[in-house]
Amino acid sequence: MHATLRLLLLLLISVHLNAADSVGGPVDLGASSSLRTGTQLREKREVRVQEGKGRMQKTNSANDFFCRFVQRVNLVRRLLGPDTEEVQVREMVCELVNYTGNAPPPAEQAGPLVGKTLRLRKSNGKWKYAMVGGKPSAEQQKFLNDLAFTTLMLEIPEACLINQTHKAGETWKVSINESGGKDYGAVIAKDIECTLAAVDQRPDGPQASVHLVGNFIMERPMNYLSRMEVAFDITLVRRLSDMLDLNTKITGNLKNVAQVNDADGKAAQLTLDLPFTLVRSQAIERK
């Protein structure tokens, strides 16, 4: 083999091997994002509940049922600042079915926010979506609340990893928002176990694989008269050069007890027990 060609092949092999090498030293997992104002992100996320259980408890009776929920969205997000985004809903597919007996066939349909432009703001530690150029209908507002809750769930790793510097293989515990009283709508969690599984070199820089396990409670989420308990198991890949979470998967169980009105307008207690999966991918949208 020609000496120059042999040298070139050796260099290519070396580059490939180095790209897969693990980073041995400690890395900062919670540095500030380096994404600039105006950056556009393509985000795809899906929430799915299979065979959730519910109970509507009235004064003299109770109705048990199963529920199935799907919400899949394709978003283009433009960063307007550290706590503000413009969000275009390119695709939204939804399904919510309550049933008894055998599960009905899938009946997914387009959601009411398809084609809408939204404004996402964070205030007092809470995210809120608003519609640009018009007031949302009651149905649209419900879906805006759903998006906000999903955003809150996806923010758990950011809250856990801030000010955390570790080596691959290390495990530690963190707590979120331990307050003395009831902080309505806020996540309150203790002893979340975090593990930095690996840090790998990639062509676009080092990527950290992180595993988080824990649970949290919320009093009056989204101003509803309810109490929510969520157990979660999170795996994610975070690109350390800009702190963008490229892929996230959350599995867990959500339990919610709420005071509601039934179909006849009478007071009732709704109890939900929902095993769920939430997946999300993010990438910078090239112009």
Side-chain angles (χ1 to χ4, degrees):
M1 182 181 297
H2 193 278
T4 302
L5 180 58
R6 182 188 302 173
L7 178 59
L8 178 59
L9 287 174
L10 289 174
L11 287 173
L12 289 173
I13 292 172
S14 176
V15 169
H16 175 76
L17 291 175
N18 289 336
D21 284 346
S22 296
V23 177
V27 295
D28 186 353
L29 297 171
S32 299
S33 172
S34 63
L35 296 175
R36 298 180 179 180
T37 298
T39 299
Q40 290 193 132
L41 299 175
R42 172 77 65 169
E43 176 179 345
K44 296 180 180 181
R45 69 169 80 153
E46 179 183 281
V47 185
R48 185 174 293 272
V49 173
Q50 294 291 128
E51 292 190 6
K53 297 178 180 179
R55 164 171 285 198
M56 185 72 79
Q57 180 77 50
K58 304 177 186 180
T59 303
N60 298 316
S61 63
N63 296 321
D64 294 326
F65 58 92
F66 296 102
C67 58
R68 185 175 68 218
F69 175 81
V70 177
Q71 189 176 100
R72 184 166 59 253
V73 294
N74 184 345
L75 309 174
V76 175
R77 298 162 40 210
R78 185 163 66 93
L79 307 184
L80 303 180
D83 296 320
T84 307
E85 298 181 7
E86 180 186 86
V87 181
Q88 298 177 14
V89 184
R90 297 291 178 85
E91 178 187 10
M92 179 178 237
V93 176
C94 308
E95 180 190 40
L96 174 59
V97 179
N98 296 330
Y99 62 95
T100 57
N102 295 327
E108 297 180 2
Q109 59 185 359
L113 299 178
V114 174
K116 302 297 183 182
T117 299
L118 314 176
R119 186 63 54 92
L120 175 62
R121 286 192 175 96
K122 189 176 186 180
S123 178
N124 297 323
K126 302 177 182 67
W127 289 102
K128 184 176 181 180
Y129 283 88
M131 189 177 296
V132 175
K135 184 178 180 180
S137 66
E139 183 186 25
Q140 289 171 330
Q141 185 59 56
K142 177 184 178 301
F143 281 87
L144 291 173
N145 292 342
D146 287 345
L147 289 177
F149 182 75
T150 305
T151 299
L152 181 147
M153 287 287 295
L154 290 164
E155 198 180 32
I156 291 174
E158 181 178 342
C160 291
L161 299 179
I162 190 170
N163 298 325
Q164 298 294 326
T165 301
H166 295 275
K167 294 182 179 180
E170 289 186 349
T171 296
W172 66 99
K173 290 187 177 182
V174 298
S175 298
I176 301 175
N177 195 34
E178 291 186 59
S179 59
K182 293 183 178 180
D183 189 358
Y184 292 150
V187 169
I188 302 175
K190 296 182 180 180
D191 296 332
I192 299 173
E193 185 172 278
C194 311
T195 300
L196 177 55
V199 181
D200 298 317
Q201 277 290 359
R202 301 296 180 186
D204 55 353
Q207 297 180 6
S209 298
V210 183
H211 184 212
L212 306 97
V213 180
N215 56 77
F216 68 82
I217 62 172
M218 292 181 69
E219 298 285 351
R220 293 192 180 183
M222 296 175 287
N223 294 321
Y224 294 131
L225 291 176
S226 65
R227 186 178 192 273
M228 183 181 297
E229 299 180 6
V230 179
F232 58 84
D233 187 309
I234 304 175
T235 57
L236 66 90
V237 175
R238 173 168 292 185
R239 185 167 60 202
L240 299 180
S241 59
D242 53 15
M243 294 294 155
L244 182 65
D245 290 343
L246 304 175
N247 293 286
T248 304
K249 181 177 181 180
I250 306 177
T251 58
N253 196 83
L254 184 153
K255 295 182 178 181
N256 189 36
V257 179
Q259 303 302 316
V260 300
N261 292 326
D262 65 12
D264 299 323
K266 297 182 179 179
Q269 179 175 283
L270 175 64
T271 302
L272 297 174
D273 189 346
L274 308 176
F276 70 90
T277 301
L278 166 58
V279 293
R280 184 207 28 202
S281 65
Q282 295 187 108
I284 294 177
E285 182 84 342
R286 303 301 177 185
K287 298 180 181 180

